[in-house]
Amino acid sequence: MNIVYAKDPKWANPEKTLIDVTVRFENFAEDLQFTANPNDVEDHGRELYERSVNGDFGAVADYTPPSNEVLAFSARVKRDLMLSSSDWTQLPDVPQATKDAWATYRQALRDVTSQAGFPSNITWPTPPQ
């Protein structure tokens, strides 16, 4: 993938091992948000990282942790996916013991937003075996 231009590089994590960058690739009509990684399996990912570190697209801005709103949204999405992937456990033909075990887990998922550390420090329940 040929890079037409890239701009606005910003560290994507506090360890400074990933860089978010706005990039326009030759075969795309729009700018894309891309996370460049020095170990990317694709050449363009490694190139974007290296060129960003070298300052080719301007100085790499400091990492900014996500806001509580973003963290809460992400946690709810994760919780909803975990709930939907366990919907099968409540079907009529599932044994009652299985339903009960999973019902407890599913309630704990619903209660995640009530945890004292939500949204930055969440203890995720473990699904039954």
Side-chain angles (χ1 to χ4, degrees):
M1 303 223 342
N2 294 325
I3 300 164
V4 176
Y5 64 82
K7 61 183 180 179
D8 304 325
K10 179 179 177 181
W11 291 110
N13 60 357
E15 299 81 21
K16 295 188 175 182
T17 58
L18 303 171
I19 299 175
D20 286 335
V21 62
T22 302
V23 63
R24 171 74 57 94
F25 291 107
E26 188 175 76
N27 296 333
F28 290 88
E30 300 177 357
D31 289 354
L32 301 172
Q33 294 302 311
F34 188 89
T35 301
N37 179 339
N39 302 311
D40 200 310
V41 297
E42 299 290 340
D43 291 339
H44 63 272
R46 293 188 307 273
E47 178 185 352
L48 281 165
Y49 183 88
E50 186 174 318
R51 291 183 62 194
S52 293
V53 169
N54 289 338
D56 292 357
F57 312 125
V60 180
D62 285 336
Y63 168 75
T64 305
S67 68
N68 277 346
E69 292 80 19
V70 169
L71 290 173
F73 178 79
S74 296
R76 285 185 177 96
V77 167
K78 178 178 178 174
R79 184 248 350 246
D80 293 349
L81 287 169
M82 293 167 85
L83 279 167
S84 66
S85 70
S86 65
D87 283 349
W88 67 270
T89 67
Q90 303 306 301
L91 293 172
D93 61 343
V94 172
Q96 191 60 47
T98 301
K99 282 184 182 185
D100 292 345
W102 282 89
T104 301
Y105 165 75
R106 289 166 56 82
Q107 186 58 54
L109 285 173
R110 290 184 192 93
D111 293 341
V112 159
T113 58
S114 300
Q115 291 181 11
F118 184 83
S120 59
N121 186 15
I122 299 169
T123 301
W124 292 99
T126 303
Q129 296 296 328

